[in-house]
Amino acid sequence: MDQDSQEQYIHFLLQSTIPSHLVEFREAGTLRMVSIIDELDQGLSSVYTFYDPDLPRASLGTYNVLWQIGQCKSRGLPWLYLGYWIRHSQKMAYKIHFQPLQGLIGQQWSPLPVPDTETR
């Protein structure tokens, strides 16, 4: 996780005018992950997720995206916005595994090609 100041945290996560939810994921009562999700008219937006650093191979981020997809389906929402994807960012690489993937290019959402395995 980044080492942001309290002011950066407040600006990024607490000043939204969009309805937001903080969702806790627990295992046998132990907090494992927290996800902040915005509710949009036609979908959900995954704002930020953080999880137990002592469980790096638990795939909690993937579980979270699959959970959010399920939430969209159960609410009849057609879209889940996972936020920015930067091809060479390891931190954001997981997003490419969720297809179909679209990107906002100019003012239009367009399908993005799946990059070869070397750039994942």
Side-chain angles (χ1 to χ4, degrees), residues 47-80:
V47 176
Y48 197 74
T49 300
F50 51 97
Y51 52 88
D52 187 338
D54 294 332
L55 300 171
R57 301 211 185 280
S59 298
L60 293 172
T62 297
Y63 176 84
N64 183 52
V65 173
L66 294 173
W67 181 85
Q68 289 180 40
I69 290 169
Q71 288 295 301
C72 286
K73 285 183 176 184
S74 71
R75 298 175 187 199
L77 299 171
W79 303 107
L80 173 60

Side-chain angles (χ1 to χ4, degrees), residues 17-37:
T17 58
I18 297 170
S20 300
H21 298 283
L22 188 140
V23 182
E24 296 180 355
F25 295 84
R26 295 179 178 270
E27 180 180 40
T30 302
L31 182 63
R32 297 294 188 197
M33 178 172 53
V34 175
S35 185
I36 300 165
I37 302 167

Side-chain angles (χ1 to χ4, degrees), residues 55-111:
L55 300 171
R57 301 211 185 280
S59 298
L60 293 172
T62 297
Y63 176 84
N64 183 52
V65 173
L66 294 173
W67 181 85
Q68 289 180 40
I69 290 169
Q71 288 295 301
C72 286
K73 285 183 176 184
S74 71
R75 298 175 187 199
L77 299 171
W79 303 107
L80 173 60
Y81 177 66
L82 295 179
Y84 292 113
W85 172 67
I86 301 170
R87 180 183 303 264
H88 299 291
S89 170
Q90 281 300 111
K91 202 173 173 182
M92 298 181 187
Y94 72 94
K95 296 176 185 186
I96 198 66
H97 298 291
F98 299 95
Q99 298 291 325
L101 183 66
Q102 294 184 345
L104 186 61
I105 301 170
Q107 295 295 317
Q108 180 153 351
W109 288 98
S110 302

